[in-house]
Amino acid sequence: MARQLGRAPLRTLLPAPVRDGYGRERVPTVLDTIEIENELLRVTVLPGLGGRVHSLLHKPTGRELLYRNPVLQPAAFALNGAWFSGGIEWNIGARGHSTLSCAPLHAAVVPAPDGGRMLRLWEWERLRDLPFQVDLWLPDGAEHLRVGIRIRNPHERAVPCYWWSNTAVPEDRRVLAPADEAWHFGYEHALRRVPVPRTEDGTDRTYPLRSTHAADYFYALPDGQRRWIAALDERGDGLVQTSTDGLLGRKLFLWGTGRGGRRWQEWLTEPGTPGYAEIQAGLARTQLEHPPLEAGEEVSWLEVYGPLTADPAAAHGPDWAVARASVEDALEAVLPRAEVDAAYEQWRAVAADAEPGPSLATGSGWGALEVLRGGYELPGTPFPEELLGEEQRPWLALLRTGAFPDADADAGADGGDGVAAKVTAPARPGTTLVSDAWRDMLETAPADAVTEYHLGIAQWAAGDLAQAVRSWERGLKNAAARWPLLYCLAVDDREGGHPQRAAERYAEAFEEQYGGDPVVTAALGREAVSVLLETGCVAEARGVLSRLPEDVRARGAFRHLEARLLLAEGRKGEARAVFDAGFEVPDLREGAEELGDLWARITDEPLPAAYDFRMRPS
C-alpha cells in the first residue's frame, strides 16, 4: 500500500476537457436509456452519461435496489467537473470520479456467455490512455446482474491503473463487509486504521446516519476472504455486491448528519428526498493507490449486483462476527462463490473478445485516433476510423502529414472571384493531446502558432515547464488569436508563484478575447477577476467584471465574485446584501469552503444553512 500510495500522482487533468456550463434550473429532460431485463430484474443504463446504471429494479417485490436520483443535477465532483449522484458508476483513470462521468460511451449488443444477449459499453480513457469495456448481462432466471470489466494497456510501458465501482444506496441501511478493521479517511486527509464496526468513541460507523461528518472507510479484507459488501435495511433486505478476487477493495462513503453533509445531499438532488451513502469496490485496497498495469497486459474481473435477504436479528445484532456471517451465509446460499468464479471464466473464454453488433450509442473518436496512430489490435472493443470527428480532424492531419491544417495557406487561396479568401482565427484552439507520441510529432511539425500552443501544453503536462513557456512565447509572435497562448502563460505564472504577472496576463487574455465567443469571454472574465483580487488589483478587477454582460453577472458564480469585490472595496454592507439576496454557485467543488470563508470576513453571525457546504468540524 505504501508503495502504491505515491505512484504516479496526476499533476494535471490534461488532455481531459473541463465539463462545466451547467446550472441549477430544473427542466423536464429526455435521456437515452438501454434496458436489460429478465423475469426477475430490470436494469436501466444511461449510455450517454458514463454508462451509469440508473436503476436496478427487483420485479417480484417492486423494490428499487439502488438509490435512484429523481433529478439529473450536475455538480463539480468529477475530476474534470460535471458529475451527478445515484446508481452505479464506473470510475477509471485516477483517484476521484471519472472524467467520463457525464460523457457518452460506445454501446452495442454482444453474445453473452450463456448464449443470450449482453450489453457492452466501451471507451478510451484519456488520462491514462487506456481502453476499457464493461459487459452487463442477466441470464434467464437470474436475480443478479453480471458485470464483466476489462482494462487493457496496449502501450510499451507500464501505466498506473485505477478502478472503483461506486454504488449509491439509501443511507438508512447497515453496511456490512467481511472485515474487522478499516482505513478511515476523513477531513484530516490522512489514513488511520480503525476497528469495525465501532470506532474508538464507541459509535457503530456501519450505520451511515450515526456519523456527523463525511468520511471514507476502506475495509481491510483479509487475503483469501470472499469479496463482498452489502447494504441492508431493518428487515434484512437490500443490495449485495460481490466479485472475483481481483477486485480487492471495499469501501463505505457516508455524508454524515452534519449541516454541510445534509446541504450537499440537498444540492445533489431535491429537498425532501431521502439521502444516500455509497458502497464501493476497487482494484486496490484504498482509492489513494494506483497499481501498475504492465506493458501489453490487461486486468479483468467479474462483479455481481442484486438483492439479498439476511436474518435481520443477526445482521443488525451487536455481535459483528455473527452479523457478517449471517450475510455471507445468505450470499453463499443464493450466489455461491464458485458460481461467480465460473461465470468469470466463461465470460473471459467465450464472450470478452466477441465483436459487438450494431451500435446502440456512440462515444468519442479519440480511441479511433489512438488505434490509428498505434496500430493496436483490441478484439471486442473496435475503434474504427469512421468514429473520427471534427475534434480529431487536425490531429489526423498531423498524423498523416506531419503538420496541422494550415490556415495561412487557406487565407491565400483564390475564393473563385480573384480575391483571396479571408480566414478568421478560430474562437477556440480545440482539444489538445499530451502523450509522448503526440508530443514527439508536435516537436517536429512546422512551428506555427497553433502548433506552438499545443506543443507547449504537451510539454507543460510532461513537467517541462520552461520549454512550454518558450513554445507559447514563440507562438505569440505570429498568432492570429493571442488569448489562448496568453491564458496558458497566465496559468503557468499562477502555479509557478508569479501572481502579479499572472494577473496581468489574465487581464490581457480577457481584453484580446473581449467581444468574441461569449462562453470564452465569461470564463476568462471569471478567472481574471479572481486572480486580480488575489493580487490586490481591485480597480482592475472591477473593470473586468463591469464589462461582462448583465446576464453573465447575474449568474451565481459572478454574484460570488461581486461579493468578494465589494468586500475588497471596503463596501462590507453591500457584500452582505449579496448574500442576503441569495445566490447559488453551480460548480462548487466537493468540500468547498469559500462561501463560508467569505461570509466570516463579512460578519461574525452564523453561516446561513444555504451556504454551509463544510464537510468537517467548524
Side-chain angles (χ1 to χ4, degrees):
M1 183 188 292
R3 286 194 302 273
Q4 292 183 167
L5 286 174
R7 178 179 285 115
L10 287 179
R11 65 172 304 273
T12 173
L13 293 176
L14 291 167
V18 171
R19 295 186 177 275
D20 57 10
Y22 49 83
R24 293 188 54 78
E25 181 181 350
R26 307 283 172 75
V27 296
T29 302
V30 175
L31 299 175
D32 289 333
T33 65
I34 299 172
E35 287 193 348
I36 310 166
E37 187 171 14
N38 66 8
E39 60 272 33
L40 298 174
L41 210 61
R42 180 184 301 128
V43 185
T44 305
V45 178
L46 305 177
L49 294 165
R52 183 80 58 100
V53 176
H54 179 58
S55 170
L56 204 62
L57 182 69
H58 187 236
K59 294 164 72 172
T61 61
R63 285 192 292 124
E64 174 59 61
L65 301 177
L66 306 175
Y67 169 79
R68 177 174 176 167
N69 198 334
V71 299
L72 172 62
Q73 174 57 65
F77 279 42
L79 286 165
N80 62 335
W83 171 88
F84 62 103
S85 65
I88 306 171
E89 60 176 299
W90 319 112
N91 293 302
I92 181 174
R95 177 192 167 202
H97 297 284
S98 171
T99 60
L100 298 169
S101 294
C102 287
L105 303 188
H106 302 287
V109 172
V110 181
D114 61 355
R117 297 194 301 167
M118 179 169 71
L119 172 64
R120 174 161 299 158
L121 306 167
W122 73 100
E123 196 31 294
W124 192 281
E125 197 282 314
R126 299 178 65 205
L127 284 183
R128 304 297 194 183
D129 264 341
L130 297 177
F132 70 96
Q133 70 190 76
V134 180
D135 290 352
L136 305 97
W137 76 100
L138 269 175
D140 289 340
E143 274 195 317
H144 296 83
L145 173 70
R146 274 71 167 164
V147 184
I149 300 174
R150 175 167 63 173
I151 306 171
R152 289 189 272 204
N153 177 11
H155 307 294
E156 296 178 353
R157 68 183 189 284
V159 177
C161 192
Y162 178 93
W163 184 280
W164 280 79
S165 303
N166 292 9
T167 304
V169 294
E171 64 182 350
D172 59 344
R173 302 286 191 267
R174 189 181 202 186
V175 173
L176 300 102
D180 293 316
E181 291 183 305
W183 292 96
H184 169 264
F185 190 77
Y187 62 86
E188 310 98 329
H189 297 291
L191 282 173
R192 182 167 56 91
R193 198 155 185 148
V194 298
V196 175
R198 297 183 184 276
T199 52
E200 297 95 328
D201 63 359
T203 303
D204 188 340
R205 304 293 179 180
T206 62
Y207 291 91
L209 289 174
R210 295 185 185 178
S211 292
T212 303
H213 300 290
D216 299 327
Y217 290 94
F218 298 100
Y219 294 109
L221 276 64
D223 291 340
Q225 168 64 51
R226 183 177 185 179
R227 263 55 192 167
W228 60 267
I229 188 167
L232 305 181
D233 65 17
E234 71 278 1
R235 298 181 301 275
D237 297 328
L239 174 81
V240 68
Q241 188 272 2
T242 187
S243 71
T244 48
D245 292 348
L247 201 63
L248 283 177
R250 292 299 185 275
K251 171 193 161 185
L252 163 64
F253 166 76
L254 54 87
W255 282 108
T257 58
R259 276 211 325 176
R262 304 329 294 173
R263 182 69 178 112
W264 276 119
Q265 295 258 32
E266 293 174 359
W267 187 257
L268 297 171
T269 180
E270 288 190 327
T273 302
Y276 74 96
E278 287 185 353
I279 56 174
Q280 306 178 9
L283 275 179
R285 296 182 187 275
T286 72
Q287 287 171 335
L288 284 71
E289 302 167 71
H290 297 80
L293 187 56
E294 298 300 328
E297 303 225 338
E298 63 180 55
V299 61
S300 62
W301 62 92
L302 183 77
E303 303 184 39
V304 183
Y305 296 83
L308 187 72
T309 297
D311 175 9
H316 288 275
D319 190 320
W320 178 242
V322 171
R324 284 174 38 191
S326 70
V327 176
E328 188 152 351
D329 289 347
L331 173 60
E332 187 67 19
V334 297
L335 191 65
R337 183 178 188 178
E339 183 179 323
V340 173
D341 292 341
Y344 167 70
E345 295 298 337
Q346 187 182 22
W347 169 71
R348 286 292 289 119
V350 305
D353 287 345
E355 288 304 308
S359 173
L360 298 177
T362 303
S364 78
W366 296 112
L369 184 67
E370 292 300 331
V371 166
L372 199 61
R373 181 196 61 76
Y376 303 126
E377 296 290 336
L378 300 169
T381 54
F383 294 97
E385 196 168 338
E386 53 263 31
L387 292 174
L388 294 169
E390 192 60 29
E391 279 190 296
Q392 293 80 41
R393 186 184 65 82
W395 296 94
L396 181 62
L398 176 65
L399 178 64
R400 288 178 168 167
T401 69
F404 277 109
D406 189 353
D408 292 337
D410 293 338
D414 191 323
D417 55 2
V419 179
K422 181 180 179 181
V423 174
T424 57
R428 308 181 197 181
T431 305
T432 196
L433 294 173
V434 299
S435 69
D436 293 348
W438 290 105
R439 188 172 72 249
D440 290 345
M441 279 184 264
L442 289 166
E443 287 175 345
T444 58
D448 57 28
V450 173
T451 302
E452 296 287 14
Y453 165 81
H454 289 294
L455 174 58
I457 291 179
Q459 291 164 333
W460 194 85
D464 192 354
L465 309 187
Q467 192 57 55
V469 169
R470 284 191 285 272
S471 295
W472 293 326
E473 288 177 341
R474 283 196 305 268
L476 273 175
K477 295 175 182 177
N478 299 304
R482 300 177 75 249
W483 72 263
L485 295 150
L486 290 167
Y487 175 78
C488 290
L489 290 165
V491 170
D492 180 75
D493 282 335
R494 190 179 191 184
E495 296 200 6
H498 304 287
Q500 194 65 48
R501 193 167 64 199
E504 293 169 1
R505 281 175 162 158
Y506 273 113
E508 188 178 358
F510 174 79
E511 189 67 34
E512 288 275 344
Q513 162 61 26
Y514 189 76
D517 185 329
V519 174
V520 176
T521 300
L524 283 174
R526 182 179 179 184
E527 290 198 47
V529 171
S530 184
V531 177
L532 287 165
L533 282 173
E534 290 169 9
T535 54
C537 301
V538 178
E540 292 84 350
R542 173 61 70 188
V544 171
L545 188 61
S546 65
R547 294 179 66 191
L548 293 171
E550 185 176 348
D551 65 315
V552 171
R553 286 184 281 118
R555 299 174 192 167
F558 293 87
R559 298 304 297 155
H560 177 222
L561 281 179
E562 174 69 18
R564 289 179 58 193
L565 185 52
L566 287 167
L567 182 62
E569 292 170 332
R571 300 153 68 182
K572 188 176 289 190
E574 293 173 74
R576 166 66 184 265
V578 173
F579 276 87
D580 292 342
F583 65 90
E584 293 183 323
V585 182
D587 56 350
L588 280 176
R589 297 294 298 179
E590 184 177 4
E593 298 187 359
E594 56 261 35
L595 299 183
D597 291 344
L598 180 58
W599 175 266
R601 292 169 59 202
I602 295 172
T603 176
D604 293 332
E605 296 178 27
L607 178 65
Y611 302 112
D612 191 350
F613 293 91
R614 295 170 296 190
M615 294 169 61
R616 57 176 179 151
S618 299

